[in-house]
Amino acid sequence: MLVKTYCAEVMGLEATTITIEVNMTRGVQFHLSGLADTAVKESYDRIRAAIANNGFKPPTADLTINLSPADIRKEGSGYDLPLAIGILAAHGKISETMLDDYMMIGELGLDGKLKPVSGVLSVAIRARKEKFKGLIVPQENVREAAVVNNLDVYGMEGLADVISFFNGSSIFEPTFVDTRKEFYEQQCSFDLDFADVKGQEGVKRALEIAAAGGHNIIMIGSPGSGKSMMAKRLPGILPPLTLAESLETTQIHSVAGKLSCGTSLISQRPFRSPHHTVSQVAMTGGTNKAQPGEVSLAHNGVLFLDELPEFNKTTLEVLRQPLEDRKITISRARYTVEYPCSFMFVASMNPCPCGYYGDPTHHCVCTPGQIQRYMNKISGPLLDRIDLHVEVPVVPFGQLSQMKPGESSSVIRERVIKARQIQEHRYAHDKGVYCNAQMTERMLHQYAEPDAASLDMLRLAMERLSLSARAYSRILKVARTIADLNGSEKVQSQHIAEAIGYRSLDRGDWAERGI
C-alpha cells in the first residue's frame, strides 16, 4: 500500500515541499531513501516507540520510504511526525482522506509528545504558497506559524492528537493570531531608557544622528564612561519595525531556532551583542547546516561589538562586505544561501591597551607605540565603513550626582521618527533605500550636494585628515541626516562641520594627543 504525506525542508529563508512516500508490503525490511541525514535516519526508532506508547502495534512489514525530491538533502528531526503518520496510514490505522490537504512538521518523543522545531514560519509560508488547506505543528510552534493568514494552523500536543484529527474522532480548532494587534501592542515597551544616562549629551546627540539616518557608529572612551550602557539603549530610540520588517526578522530567528516558545512576531528591533571570542562562522553564518549568523540575526536592528580591538582580526574583516551590501552569501560545498543583514553597526573600544589614555582621573601607562599598535587592530577599510567616530569623556561627579533624569528615549525617538519620515518620503521612488545611510553615490549628488562654503570646508578636511573617498561619502550622508533632524531641506555648512567632527579616528595624531 502506498501513502503520501507532506513536509518541508528549510534552506536559508526558503522552504521546499518534501513529499514523503511510504510503501508497505510483506516482509521485515526497512528502507529509507532521499539523502536523509542521521537525525532523519534515526527517526524510525523514535517513531516505533511513539506508536507503541500510544496504543498501536508497530507494523511488521517491509517498509520503503522515499523523501522526494531525492536530490535535496533532508536534515533535522521535523520529519518525525509526517513519517509516523505515513507509516500508520499505510498500515491502515489512519484515514487517507485528508492527508493531501495538510503539511506536517514536528519531532516525536518516545512517548509520542510533539517537540518544537526550527524554521516553522518558513514552512507555513511555503504551505500557503502550495495551497495546502492547513499545517500541523507542535503546540509550542503554533503561534509562530499562525501569523501566516489564509492557512489553517493546528497546534498538537502529541501523536495521539494528530491521529484523532485525521480519523475525525476529535474536533480541533485552528489557531488564530491577531497579528496586527499583538504587533503594535508590544512595539513601545522598553526596559532601558536614555533618561538613566547622566551627562554625555554630545554622545547622545551622536547616537540620535546614527539612529535617525541608520548610520554605523563607534564610541571611544575609558572604562566606565558609559559606552555599553548607551549602546544597549539604542533600540529604544530607533523607529518601530514595520510589519514587513517584523515578518522578515521573525523568519530569520525562526530558521535559527532563536524564537521563544509562544512567540508570534518579533515586534522590537533585535539587539545582538556577541562576545569577542565569537568565531568567523558564528558571525557570518554557515556550519554544516545553513544557519544564519550574528550579522543576519541583527537584521533590521543593531549589531553591537563591545571592546572592538579584542575581536579576532579575520572575524572583523568579514564584516566589510555585509556592511556595504546589506546581505551576505554563504557558500559551502553542499549549499549556497543568501541572508539579508541590513543592520546598524555599533562598536565601542578603549583608547589604549590600559584604557585610560586621555582620562583626567587616571594615569595612562601606555607608550605612543603601544597605543598605535592597539589602534591598528582595526583596519582602515573597516573604519571607513563606520560613519561616526565619537569620543566618550569621563562623566564628572557633579553630573553623576544629579537626581534629575536626562531626556527620555521616547522624546528622542519622536525626533528620530520624524527624520525617518522625511527620508521615506525622499526615497519613495528609490527601491531598497529607506534611510540616508543607504544612499548611493548618484543619490548623494542629488540629495546631499554641498554649497560652495561647505565644499571648501570639506576640501580642507580631506587634506588635513587624509580622508578616503568613502569617508567623504560618509560625511555627506551624516550631514544629510543632521539637516533632516534640523528640518533643513539643504545641507548647509554647519551640518558639514558637525559631520566632520565625527571622524575622530581619521586624525593621524591620535596616539600623540589627549582626548
Side-chain angles (χ1 to χ4, degrees):
M1 184 178 183
L2 177 64
V3 171
K4 295 180 181 180
T5 58
Y6 301 91
C7 191
E9 176 66 26
V10 179
M11 180 62 71
L13 296 185
E14 300 297 324
T16 302
T17 302
I18 302 297
T19 303
I20 299 173
E21 302 170 319
V22 181
N23 187 62
M24 185 177 291
T25 56
R26 293 183 62 182
V28 292
Q29 297 291 320
F30 174 75
H31 309 278
L32 179 63
S33 62
L35 276 182
D37 74 344
T38 304
V40 181
K41 291 176 180 177
E42 290 176 345
S43 64
Y44 187 60
D45 297 325
R46 295 191 293 272
I47 290 167
R48 286 184 64 87
I51 290 173
N53 288 321
N54 278 269
F56 293 92
K57 184 179 179 182
T60 304
D62 193 301
L63 277 173
T64 302
I65 300 175
N66 180 50
L67 309 178
S68 175
D71 60 341
I72 296 176
R73 186 167 179 80
K74 323 301 187 304
E75 298 179 335
S77 55
Y79 291 92
D80 287 7
L81 178 60
L83 281 170
I85 295 301
I87 290 171
L88 286 170
H91 193 39
K93 303 299 183 182
I94 292 180
S95 170
E96 301 176 48
T97 310
M98 298 190 296
L99 290 182
D100 288 340
D101 297 330
Y102 292 88
M103 189 177 279
M104 291 170 276
I105 188 169
E107 177 185 338
L108 283 174
L110 299 186
D111 58 355
K113 294 293 183 184
L114 279 172
K115 299 180 180 180
V117 292
S118 61
V120 168
L121 180 53
S122 294
V123 174
I125 293 171
R126 186 65 187 181
R128 182 181 64 179
K129 187 176 181 180
E130 293 284 340
K131 300 190 183 306
F132 281 92
K133 182 179 179 181
L135 173 67
I136 297 173
V137 299
Q139 186 63 46
E140 288 88 342
N141 291 126
V142 68
R143 290 178 58 78
E144 175 187 343
V147 302
V148 179
N149 55 15
N150 301 322
L151 181 73
D152 293 338
V153 178
Y154 297 88
M156 301 294 188
E157 293 289 346
L159 180 62
D161 290 342
V162 184
I163 294 171
S164 299
F165 174 79
F166 282 114
N167 285 335
S169 55
S170 298
I171 298 175
F172 296 87
E173 293 295 328
T175 300
F176 172 75
V177 173
D178 191 338
T179 308
R180 294 182 180 274
K181 181 182 177 182
E182 293 195 6
F183 174 69
Y184 291 116
E185 279 180 352
Q186 300 170 10
Q187 273 195 326
C188 300
S189 176
F190 295 97
D191 296 328
L192 303 175
D193 197 293
F194 267 101
D196 303 327
V197 181
K198 302 294 179 65
Q200 303 293 17
E201 298 304 323
V203 184
K204 286 192 279 189
R205 164 70 174 173
L207 289 170
E208 180 181 338
I209 293 169
H215 301 291
N216 304 321
I217 183 171
I218 183 170
M219 295 177 283
I220 312 102
S222 303
S225 56
K227 304 184 296 295
S228 300
M229 180 184 186
M230 287 184 282
K232 290 174 182 177
R233 283 157 175 76
L234 188 57
I237 66 172
L238 288 171
L241 285 168
T242 64
L243 202 55
E245 287 176 333
S246 176
L247 183 63
E248 189 176 36
T249 304
T250 305
Q251 198 173 351
I252 293 170
H253 285 250
S254 171
V255 169
K258 302 293 184 183
L259 282 184
S260 303
C261 290
T263 301
S264 54
L265 277 178
I266 292 176
S267 55
Q268 295 180 0
R269 294 190 180 273
F271 180 87
R272 302 294 300 181
S273 180
H275 192 259
H276 65 258
T277 56
V278 65
S279 69
Q280 183 176 329
V281 172
M283 184 68 80
T284 58
T287 69
N288 292 332
K289 194 172 181 180
Q291 290 278 25
E294 291 291 339
V295 294
S296 298
L297 292 171
H299 180 59
N300 291 322
V302 176
L303 177 65
F304 175 52
L305 301 188
D306 199 7
E307 303 300 338
L308 190 65
E310 301 303 325
F311 283 78
N312 185 283
K313 194 174 182 68
T314 57
T315 302
L316 291 180
E317 293 309 302
V318 299
L319 293 175
R320 291 192 200 175
Q321 181 260 338
L323 285 171
E324 285 292 316
D325 299 340
R326 299 183 181 273
K327 62 183 178 181
I328 186 165
T329 303
I330 303 168
S331 298
R332 300 290 186 269
R334 293 178 179 173
Y335 60 82
T336 298
V337 297
E338 183 178 281
Y339 286 114
C341 56
S342 179
F343 57 88
M344 265 187 69
F345 179 56
V346 181
S348 71
M349 60 178 290
N350 294 330
C352 67
C354 78
Y356 295 109
Y357 175 62
D359 190 331
T361 61
H362 293 80
H363 177 65
C364 175
V365 297
C366 304
T367 64
Q370 289 175 320
I371 297 173
Q372 197 60 57
R373 284 192 295 273
Y374 182 75
M375 297 302 299
N376 286 342
K377 291 182 179 180
I378 308 167
S379 69
L382 182 60
L383 279 178
D384 261 357
R385 288 167 169 81
I386 301 177
D387 305 341
L388 294 95
H389 309 162
V390 185
E391 298 170 12
V392 184
V394 176
V395 182
F397 175 77
Q399 291 181 345
L400 280 175
S401 59
Q402 286 180 358
M403 299 303 294
K404 184 180 178 181
E407 191 175 32
S408 69
S409 293
S410 59
V411 175
I412 302 173
R413 194 186 202 196
E414 288 178 7
R415 295 197 295 267
V416 169
I417 291 173
K418 187 176 179 180
R420 285 288 184 107
Q421 287 172 344
I422 293 172
Q423 294 164 50
E424 287 175 12
H425 177 73
R426 180 187 298 134
Y427 308 126
H429 302 292
D430 297 291
K431 186 178 179 181
V433 179
Y434 306 100
C435 60
N436 290 331
Q438 298 173 344
M439 278 195 292
T440 62
E441 294 301 315
R442 177 189 59 81
M443 295 166 69
L444 277 176
H445 295 292
Q446 185 176 354
Y447 301 120
E449 190 70 33
D451 55 26
S454 301
L455 205 58
D456 290 338
M457 188 183 300
L458 265 173
R459 185 182 298 109
L460 186 62
M462 292 283 291
E463 292 171 356
R464 289 191 176 181
L465 301 179
S466 301
L467 298 179
S468 67
R470 185 182 281 114
Y472 170 82
S473 299
R474 302 281 173 180
I475 289 172
L476 288 181
K477 290 178 182 179
V478 172
R480 178 67 267 175
T481 300
I482 296 170
D484 290 339
L485 283 169
N486 293 345
S488 174
E489 187 176 342
K490 297 289 186 180
V491 175
Q492 300 171 1
S493 56
Q494 65 266 31
H495 306 142
I496 294 287
E498 185 176 357
I500 292 172
Y502 295 126
R503 301 299 302 183
S504 301
L505 295 183
D506 289 328
R507 303 173 194 170
D509 62 343
W510 175 268
E512 301 168 6
R513 65 181 182 88
I515 294 180

